[in-house]
Amino acid sequence: MNDAAATPRPTRDLDFYLLKEEVAAFLYEEAELLDQRRYTAWLDLLADDLVYFMPMRRNVKAGEHAARENTREGSDISWFEEDKWTLAKRCEQIMTGVHWAEEPLSRICHMVSNVQLLEALPSAAAPQTVTARSRFLVYQNRVETETYIFVGKRTDTLRRVDGAWKLARREIILDQNVLLAKNLTVFF
Amino acid sequence: MARLDTDRLVDTRNGLISRELFVNKDLYQQELETLFTRAWLFVGHESLIPNPGDYFVSRMGAESVILSRDKAGGIHVLLNTCRHRGMKVCLYDEGNTTHFTCPYHHWSYATDGQLVGVPQYDTLYPGMDRAKWSLIEVAQMANYKGTIWATWDKDAPPFLDYLGAAKEHLDLALDCRDGREGGSEAFLGVHKWIIPCNWKLPAENFCGDTYHNPSHRSVDMIGIGPSARSGTKGRRDDELKGAQHVWVSFPAGHGIHSAIQPAMMPYAEAFRDTPVIEEYFRHCYEERQRRLGEKSRLLPFVGTIFPNSSYHGRQPRSICMWHPHGPESTEVWRIFLVDKDAPAEVKDLLRHFYMRYSGPAGMTEQDDMENWNYATAGARGVIARRYPLNYQQSMGAGKDDDPVAGHVSVQITEENSRRFYARWSDYLAGRDWDVLMGRRDGTPRRAAAE
Ligand code: FES
Ligand SMILES: [Fe+2]
């Protein structure tokens, strides 16, 4: 995966660590809402102009990863490239009770770790926009013995709106080539 | 391995199909040996390999093949296995290269498959004729309007004969929306995922199982189509409203579902969320009517080109390969199609719609996956397998060549599936091409396994 190495890291001071803790708390609370399927509250955490993007991953030659490993946002077919409206539709569909891919509901557990604060603008002391990277492990158990484990990285942009953080962008890098699941009914 | 008598398992006269077809390991192996080695299979799209040296690694049956464009621009389909010890010669999904150099002992093949490099050839292999050790190439390949098809059987009929009258339906997926021939290309990004189901269930579903509509109720309730934000429910817009649906089976085993308008109808709005895109499709529709005249009344829905290549002709316009991946496992690959010269905003809207509709992340198809998964599991039981499945829908309701070529039903039917499995059985019994092409009857269908 190509890295945001070009961005200078924010200074490691008290403001930085407080903000990092705040971002981590946001991500953990979000995971809690998803696992409890409190979708209305979860959707409230999303900015109206949210971009939710999950590319497909290809096996490519060394040296070609930056250019070719992932399908491209804006032009290629990916697993997800969508907005808040579409995510809201997915929530609505799951709650119809006749969406057979999630009926009966799967048991889903989100683990979020390795939270890194990559950027805070204009500053960690008075942040309006932050970029954070984390790792995820999403466990899904369905019907009786069906089990899927999705592992990967996320890069999130959070924006301060009316005193609260909103998720404005999420890029999900699932560490799989052929998808080892019949469906992607979980949120990442 | 003793060959199973598949005619006993496929009883089309009584509309009974044995559950063995969906779980039996011997049948699966028999399919790999007798069906996937002979039938024409979809391999990819030429737009995935536009330049000399471009390659896209695909599959035929359970085996890896390289769709390659050689340095002169010719297209080849090559088995992705070294002639020396069998190592994969191409480890990547796609790219551009001058050679496929085997990682193991470095035998090296040109992009047309010729063996061109053998380390220490003069000393270690005096007299070996390198020309005899090229990568194994398919017996026949066809480029039909950009779609690449191949077969391992040199005696198979040419692709267009194999396609037969299903051509006019597949054309509806491949031709431009305004009626010009061909002109479609694949979006980059190929869906690949694994369904715990037998490959025949999705292949059969795309033969025209319109009866499974109720399984998509959740997506119909919420509405996800290109007019959904303007309040239209359903998974897409109903552009086929008022048309006569037809389910057509063809001698080679293909089954399709299309629709015929009663007359040259005015454009039915289907992109109400985005007026400029609605205008574009209105223009295409009217242009198509002008170009094709009465023929424009035929509109596409879905179809399966026997055995495992299915298309969606309208939205989400795509071609799927249901690769066998074990008796109870299917590896699905799908490419999505769009008119090459469609405006950028049209491509963008379609791309987003395709993604939310199709595949494992698609709100419509997720429910199909669940059904195919547990239908396969439901064929596993010892007791369950004593009871064949009911394929008796609309028995005898079809007619030949009316109003289109092929065996036609104007009501929802399982006739396409019955004929699909009858042909499947002919392959597994090792019958000749006259039978496989429906030029001569193979054997009467006997009673299903008791
Ligand atoms: S296996 Fe390919 S060179 Fe030996
Ligand atoms: Fe379906």
Side-chain angles (χ1 to χ4, degrees):
Chain A
M1 195 188 104
N2 39 333
D3 218 274
T7 323
R9 291 197 308 181
T11 320
R12 303 296 211 251
D13 56 12
L14 188 57
D15 288 328
F16 170 89
Y17 287 107
L18 286 172
L19 181 58
K20 178 170 175 288
E21 203 48 42
E22 198 178 330
V23 168
F26 176 93
L27 297 175
Y28 299 156
E29 283 163 26
E30 186 206 0
E32 187 68 32
L33 293 177
L34 283 173
D35 289 347
Q36 292 186 26
R37 297 187 183 274
R38 290 171 58 197
Y39 290 136
T40 312
W42 178 63
L43 290 166
D44 275 346
L45 297 179
L46 311 183
D48 291 337
D49 59 349
L50 166 83
V51 174
Y52 182 87
F53 175 56
M54 180 165 135
M56 297 186 283
R57 316 283 305 282
R58 290 182 285 234
N59 294 302
V60 295
K61 261 195 185 111
E64 292 185 352
H65 285 74
R68 301 183 80 135
E69 184 186 20
N70 296 343
T71 51
R72 295 163 305 171
E73 186 178 349
S75 59
D76 298 347
I77 295 287
S78 291
W79 288 129
F80 295 102
E81 184 188 322
E82 61 193 47
D83 56 10
K84 186 176 179 177
W85 178 84
T86 312
L87 288 171
K89 285 286 168 192
R90 292 181 187 278
C91 295
E92 195 186 335
Q93 184 185 24
I94 291 170
M95 300 323 278
T96 60
V98 289
H99 180 25
W100 305 112
E102 274 298 328
E103 183 61 30
L105 290 171
S106 303
R107 287 157 287 276
I108 295 169
C109 189
H110 286 76
M111 319 278 273
V112 179
S113 75
N114 304 39
V115 178
Q116 295 170 275
L117 186 57
L118 300 183
E119 190 180 54
L121 294 172
S123 70
Q128 288 303 315
T129 309
V130 303
T131 308
R133 165 128 0 121
S134 57
R135 296 288 185 274
F136 64 82
L137 187 158
V138 181
Y139 169 88
Q140 179 188 19
N141 175 254
R142 186 142 186 76
V143 197
E144 292 163 313
T145 57
E146 221 186 317
T147 299
Y148 302 98
I149 295 173
F150 304 100
V151 180
K153 298 110 183 167
R154 298 188 305 191
T155 304
D156 293 332
T157 302
L158 305 186
R159 190 191 300 140
R160 200 96 188 139
V161 181
D162 298 332
W165 289 112
K166 300 278 182 190
L167 181 66
R169 178 179 165 79
R170 170 160 290 165
E171 183 177 321
I172 305 144
I173 302 295
L174 177 69
D175 286 328
Q176 293 184 5
N177 171 250
V178 176
L179 182 71
L180 300 172
K182 69 177 177 196
N183 276 329
L184 289 168
T185 54
V186 301
F187 298 102
F188 292 93
Chain B
M1 185 191 76
R3 274 197 181 169
L4 288 162
D5 180 1
T6 51
D7 292 329
R8 289 174 61 79
L9 306 174
V10 175
D11 174 8
T12 53
R13 244 191 338 220
N14 296 303
L16 301 172
I17 307 284
S18 167
R19 299 185 197 223
E20 294 289 349
L21 270 71
F22 307 105
V23 289
N24 187 299
K25 292 184 179 64
D26 294 337
L27 280 180
Y28 175 77
Q29 190 59 33
Q30 208 167 315
E31 285 173 340
L32 296 182
E33 289 173 12
T34 63
L35 171 60
F36 289 99
T37 53
R38 297 182 76 195
W40 280 93
L41 308 174
F42 177 72
V43 176
H45 198 281
E46 67 173 352
S47 61
L48 297 171
I49 49 162
N51 302 308
D54 283 351
Y55 63 86
F56 170 77
V57 171
S58 186
R59 262 175 85 137
M60 290 174 69
E63 292 172 76
S64 178
V65 296
I66 309 169
L67 174 60
S68 165
R69 195 181 285 273
D70 68 28
K71 61 177 193 261
I75 295 178
H76 302 267
V77 180
L78 308 163
L79 200 63
N80 187 8
T81 179
C82 183
R83 297 297 300 276
H84 180 233
R85 275 304 171 281
M87 174 63 188
K88 257 186 169 185
V89 296
C90 184
L91 303 173
Y92 309 112
D93 296 345
E94 53 182 70
N96 183 282
T97 192
T98 52
H99 293 90
F100 299 107
T101 300
C102 178
Y104 200 174
H105 313 89
H106 282 208
W107 283 22
S108 177
Y109 303 87
T111 47
D112 62 1
Q114 295 296 317
L115 177 63
V116 291
V118 175
Q120 305 176 62
Y121 172 77
D122 291 337
T123 325
L124 304 181
Y125 294 96
M128 181 181 82
D129 182 2
R130 273 178 294 201
K132 291 203 173 109
W133 297 97
S134 308
L135 290 178
I136 296 155
E137 187 158 12
V138 292
Q140 299 185 60
M141 191 206 78
N143 180 349
Y144 184 63
K145 297 185 176 179
T147 57
I148 309 297
W149 305 75
T151 171
W152 297 110
D153 187 351
K154 65 176 178 13
D155 299 322
F159 178 68
L160 283 180
D161 291 354
Y162 180 82
L163 195 52
K167 175 180 171 298
E168 64 176 325
H169 302 272
L170 179 64
D171 280 345
L172 301 172
L174 303 182
D175 289 349
C176 285
R177 300 299 88 175
D178 64 7
R180 280 171 295 148
E181 277 208 35
S184 48
E185 65 174 3
F187 277 110
L188 297 182
V190 179
H191 270 181
K192 300 179 186 176
W193 79 103
I194 291 177
I195 315 176
C197 75
N198 185 273
W199 67 270
K200 293 187 289 304
L201 280 166
E204 170 204 315
N205 183 289
F206 272 75
C207 276
D209 177 356
T210 316
Y211 196 53
H212 83 286
N213 237 355
S215 73
H216 292 303
R217 180 142 164 269
S218 67
V219 75
D220 288 340
M221 286 161 73
I222 62 166
I224 63 161
S227 302
R229 291 174 210 237
S230 310
T232 302
K233 294 296 181 201
R235 66 202 99 126
R236 64 171 83 75
D237 293 75
D238 188 9
E239 312 108 286
L240 302 180
K241 197 165 45 207
Q244 171 64 61
H245 289 244
V246 287
W247 292 263
V248 193
S249 175
F250 302 90
H254 326 310
I256 67 92
H257 169 194
S258 294
I260 303 169
Q261 293 174 323
M264 305 260 285
M265 313 249 286
Y267 175 71
E269 293 198 334
F271 296 88
R272 290 197 293 122
D273 291 344
T274 329
V276 15
I277 288 173
E278 188 80 274
E279 266 328 292
Y280 170 78
F281 280 104
R282 181 190 303 277
H283 164 81
C284 288
Y285 180 87
E286 289 167 357
E287 199 51 27
R288 182 170 176 273
Q289 283 192 330
R290 199 184 57 73
R291 269 206 178 88
L292 304 184
E294 287 294 320
K295 276 184 117 181
S296 70
R297 287 164 47 208
L298 184 66
L299 296 172
F301 203 68
V302 296
T304 291
I305 304 304
F306 190 89
N308 68 330
S309 311
S310 299
Y311 68 86
H312 225 302
R314 207 158 185 80
Q315 297 170 10
R317 195 174 160 196
S318 58
I319 302 182
C320 247
M321 298 165 255
W322 315 105
H323 297 302
H325 196 64
E328 295 185 36
S329 183
T330 302
E331 186 170 316
V332 193
W333 292 26
R334 183 189 260 128
I335 60 159
F336 292 90
L337 298 172
V338 70
D339 282 0
K340 195 184 174 78
D341 59 8
E345 64 263 37
V346 169
K347 288 187 179 177
D348 207 49
L349 179 133
L350 292 175
R351 192 171 56 86
H352 282 101
F353 177 61
Y354 296 172
M355 284 188 279
R356 69 177 181 265
Y357 186 106
S358 303
M363 284 184 264
T364 304
E365 280 193 341
Q366 289 176 344
D367 292 325
D368 292 319
M369 257 71 87
E370 194 74 11
N371 287 320
W372 300 330
N373 178 355
Y374 285 101
T376 298
R380 206 181 287 148
V382 175
I383 303 298
R385 272 183 284 150
R386 291 181 190 167
Y387 296 86
L389 299 170
N390 180 315
Y391 279 74
Q392 298 177 339
Q393 189 182 90
S394 300
M395 295 271 283
K399 280 195 284 185
D400 283 336
D401 303 321
D402 177 29
V404 289
H407 184 79
V408 185
S409 175
V410 293
Q411 67 187 42
I412 294 178
T413 182
E414 283 166 355
E415 185 66 16
N416 288 5
S417 301
R418 289 189 287 271
R419 291 176 181 235
F420 174 92
Y421 288 117
R423 197 54 81 222
W424 171 90
S425 177
D426 290 330
Y427 276 88
L428 268 71
R431 302 202 166 102
D432 61 39
W433 276 106
D434 277 345
V435 174
L436 300 181
M437 290 294 289
R439 294 188 283 250
R440 176 163 56 75
D441 202 9
T443 185
R445 309 278 154 214
R446 282 170 294 186
E450 51 278 11

